[in-house]
Amino acid sequence: QVQLVESGGGLAQPGGSLTLSCAASGSIAGVNTMGWYRQAPGKGRELVATIEYGDITNYQGSVRGRFFISRDRAKTTVTLRMNRLNIEDTAVYFCYAQTVLGEDYWGQGTQVTVSS
């Protein structure tokens, strides 16, 4: 089992920045990919960014160049730096981890609201 705990959500103005962090614990030795998904009101959950073994990153097109994902050396914490936020970025952001066996784990979610 892998436990994921997010932090760093909140309110930002359009054009502002926020940083989300996710700390993993438990059976983390088998975790290969970590990342973030989001779900806006009335919409499905969508990928935001992931980082996998070898620090290979993948971004959704609408956030590429504005959001940056990174992972610490111990591979227990993943961080999402979100710049130039816009109203369409408002959503609940979920931390995600996948093991080499294909098991998926999710955090409880953290609210990000972009509003003037």
Side-chain angles (χ1 to χ4, degrees):
Q1 292 289 320
V2 176
Q3 293 79 44
L4 303 172
V5 178
E6 302 111 333
S7 60
L11 176 66
Q13 292 186 336
S17 299
L18 283 174
T19 299
L20 304 182
S21 293
C22 174
S25 61
S27 302
I28 60 174
V31 172
N32 179 46
T33 300
M34 293 187 71
W36 295 89
Y37 282 68
R38 68 186 181 188
Q39 187 165 14
K43 296 186 177 181
R45 192 171 294 189
E46 62 177 8
L47 179 145
V48 177
T50 59
I51 184 167
E52 62 183 82
Y53 181 79
D55 289 339
I56 298 171
T57 57
N58 181 42
Y59 294 93
Q60 183 202 113
S62 69
V63 308
R64 190 174 292 117
R66 299 189 297 123
F67 292 11
F68 298 94
I69 190 169
S70 62
R71 196 168 172 180
D72 69 336
R73 283 186 174 274
K75 302 191 187 311
T76 59
T77 302
V78 63
T79 299
L80 184 69
R81 175 65 176 177
M82 305 184 293
N83 300 319
R84 291 184 280 135
L85 287 162
N86 56 55
I87 293 174
E88 290 72 31
D89 295 318
T90 295
V92 178
Y93 284 69
F94 295 90
C95 182
Y96 164 79
Q98 187 179 71
T99 70
V100 294
L101 298 178
E103 301 161 317
D104 294 332
Y105 294 92
W106 297 92
Q108 79 283 359
T110 185
Q111 178 70 46
V112 171
T113 302
V114 183
S115 174
S116 56

